[in-house]
Every structure is written in C-alpha cells, then in structure tokens.
Amino acid sequence: MQSGSFKLSRRQFLYAGAAASSLATLGCSSSAVSTQTPAAATVNTTEAIPLNFNENPLGLAPKAQQAVLEVLPNAWRYPDAARSDLMATIASNLSLETSQLIYGNGSSEVLKMALDALVQTNTQLVMPDPSYGVIIDYAMARGVPVVKVKLDGNWQTDLDAMKAKVAAHNGPSIVYLCNPNNPTGVLLPQSELNQWLDQASSQLSFIVDEAYVEYVAQADFVSAVDRIKQGQQHIVVCRTFSKIYALAGLRVGYGVAHGELIKQMQAQASIDNANLIGCVAAKASLESLQWLELSLKSNSQAKELVYEQLKELGLDYQPSETNFIFHKVNGDSELYMQRMAKAGILVGRPFNHGEGWNRLSIGTPAQMQYFCKTLAKFRELGWV
C-alpha cells in the first residue's frame, strides 16, 4: 500500500483476536460497559475495550433504537421516503435547502463523490500528514497525485506550507482538510482557514471533513458550512453519523455544498446508497438532544480522567476537540499497541510522523479509569 496519511488503514487494522484472551494481564480486567450514565457505568470482564476507532461507547440513543425496531418489519421497502425525511431534518437543523445536501453511505462515500465531482485535468490533491487518509485511495484510483504536507512542530495543520504547494502547481488543486484533525484532535486556526476558504475558485476547491464537529467546544469555531451559505461554490463539507451519533455500523453520512456542485456529486453517487434502518436511526438521533448532551458529558468526563493521568506521568498530549486524545507513549508505537492489546485494551494504530505517539479513543469514564490504571502499571514496568 502506498504511504498514506497513516501506516495502516482502518480496514487493515482489525480487532486483535488475541486481545480478549489476555484480559488478566497486569492484574486487571476489561470489557464492554453499561450505557446508563457516565456516573453509573461500570467495567465487567467479558471483552476487550475498543479504544481504537473513535466510536461513541454509549451506543445508539434509546429513541434511535426504538425507531430501528419499529421500522424493521418494513425493511422490504426502498428507503426513499426515509432518506427524504432525514435530509429535510438535516436541512432544517442547519438552515439549509435540501438541494444543498447529499446523502452518503457514511461520510467516506461523500469524500469520494466530492473528489470525483471536483477533479479536472492536471488536478492535484493537497492534504495534511498525518490526517484521515481514505481520500488518498480515491485519488490514487483516479490517477490524481497526492501532495502530503507534514504537520508543523505543534501538530497543527501547516496552512502556509499547503498554500505554497497549491501556488507551485500549474493546474487545479483540491485541498482536503480535516477539522478537527484526525489523529491529533486539533482544530485548524480559524482566521487563517476562513481567509483561505474565501479564495476558493474553479482552480482551488476544498473538501472539509467535519466528522467530529459535534464535539467541538471552542466558542469561536465556525463551520465551513457558513461559507457555503454565503454562496461559495467550490467547498464541500463532509459530516457523519458514525461518531457522536454512534451509527458507525449503519453507514450514514452527508455532504453540504452549493446546489450546482451537489448535482455534480449526485452524478457520481451509487444508486440507492441509503438504507432504511440507517435513515430512521439518524433522524431519531438528531431528535435525541438529551442523549447528545449525555454523550458529550461522558466524553468530557472521560477525557479529563486521561488528561490528569497523562499529566501525572509527564506524558505530553494534544488537548482535543474530539472523542480521542493524541498522546506521547515514550517508545515504539506498535509495541505499545501490542502491550495494550494484551492488557485487554485496543488502542489506535501508528500514524506517519507519529512515532512515540498514540491516538486513544475515549470510552466511558469507567473504561478510561481502567485505561489509566493500566497506563500507570506500564510506567511501573518502564514501558511508557
């Protein structure tokens, strides 16, 4: 596989089968966790803790679960009406027209449709490194050269260096930006980003991946959706229900763009790419505001536990606007990952330029207490 924005793709990094058989390592136990409330959650001993794919450990909102059960007998029907209802709800929530939205089988498909619609002769794709790398595969399939720009010394997306790559290219450029970035969890500099987005044109287009936007707490954050509302025609914003809304297994995502660009993207979409169950679950999730609040509260509490443990051990980390933390492990990243798996915890894969660092997905507070206990034992053993 070509060197992308990470060493192993998500598809290659499967759940380690050996992890569950070694839960007693270090004298600890791990498992799936109750999803009642952050305070009530407990850890049992049935399976490894998956802290590697940035999923919401609380699972589907109760209203979404109920919606799935109610619609299941109608799974023989095509999903057109349910998809329309979902897109109308999204449009209402974001103060958009449905003509500015497109459904995707997860946001990964939206990325592909956006790239396919924006590509021209002699187009290059410019992106940060490391970042979410699925779009690299799509570019390679179309013969589009990928220009990767290393993050700066503070793990921030280097917009100036990316601008230089665009300026040096004799042809159109598509710029991919993940905001907040994955795997660092860091927001892009707001003012600089907005100024660059305002320069979008037929020769400079942007795909802005906002997979973790619901987790962002910074008051001055402005979504790239605002640029589209202002009439910008060369920006696509990709969003997903896989993260805060816990629908990763149902594959629901959507894109936001100018109506004319949406038409071009629609021409690249597969027929009937929506599924009935995913659509009704997503709509119900959007209506589950208390569950959203609970998910954010759980994530915040769990992150604080990890921050305190990292500080106590003197391990550097990036304050995160997501549901994961990029932190130092003081050693070989793959060896750390293997040792955590033996302790019953599945942590993130290695990333380009990230040797000695790890991306840790945030579970429930109870799960993260177990992680902190394990990390402290690793320090006692001289492993971190």
Side-chain angles (χ1 to χ4, degrees), residues 195-342:
Q195 289 175 23
W196 202 17
L197 292 176
D198 288 340
Q199 297 174 22
S201 68
S202 60
Q203 296 296 295
L204 173 61
S205 53
F206 292 89
I207 300 175
V208 184
D209 189 340
E210 294 185 349
Y212 301 92
V213 67
E214 292 86 3
Y215 288 103
V216 175
Q218 288 193 23
D220 63 346
F221 172 76
V222 177
S223 167
V225 169
D226 280 17
R227 263 53 199 175
I228 296 168
K229 291 180 180 179
Q230 294 167 12
Q232 180 53 256
Q233 300 184 39
H234 303 283
I235 299 173
V236 178
V237 176
C238 303
R239 291 190 175 179
T240 182
F241 282 83
S242 294
K243 304 307 176 184
I244 189 70
Y245 295 112
L247 303 187
L250 293 180
R251 313 310 303 133
V252 184
Y254 64 96
V256 184
H258 187 276
E260 290 304 311
L261 182 50
I262 289 292
K263 290 179 183 178
Q264 297 172 43
M265 292 172 64
Q266 195 66 59
Q268 305 296 331
S270 60
I271 300 299
D272 291 328
N273 61 340
N275 76 82
L276 178 65
I277 295 172
C279 288
V280 299
K283 183 175 183 292
S285 297
L286 290 174
E287 296 166 350
S288 301
L289 299 183
Q290 288 185 330
W291 190 253
L292 178 66
E293 182 180 354
L294 176 65
S295 295
L296 291 171
K297 181 179 179 181
S298 176
N299 184 69
S300 178
Q301 290 179 354
K303 279 200 301 186
E304 287 302 321
L305 289 171
V306 178
Y307 287 158
E308 289 304 313
Q309 184 65 74
L310 292 172
K311 291 174 185 176
E312 183 177 328
L313 297 178
L315 293 173
D316 194 13
Y317 66 90
Q318 294 300 305
S320 172
E321 294 289 330
T322 66
N323 64 338
F324 57 85
I325 299 173
F326 195 58
H327 69 93
K328 200 82 167 64
V329 296
N330 287 341
D332 181 82
S333 298
E334 292 197 30
L335 180 58
Y336 171 79
M337 180 182 70
Q338 293 164 11
R339 285 169 168 165
M340 275 291 174
K342 289 180 180 178

Side-chain angles (χ1 to χ4, degrees), residues 138-149:
Y138 301 147
M140 290 173 58
R142 293 195 63 106
V144 174
V146 179
V147 179
K148 302 169 200 165
V149 177

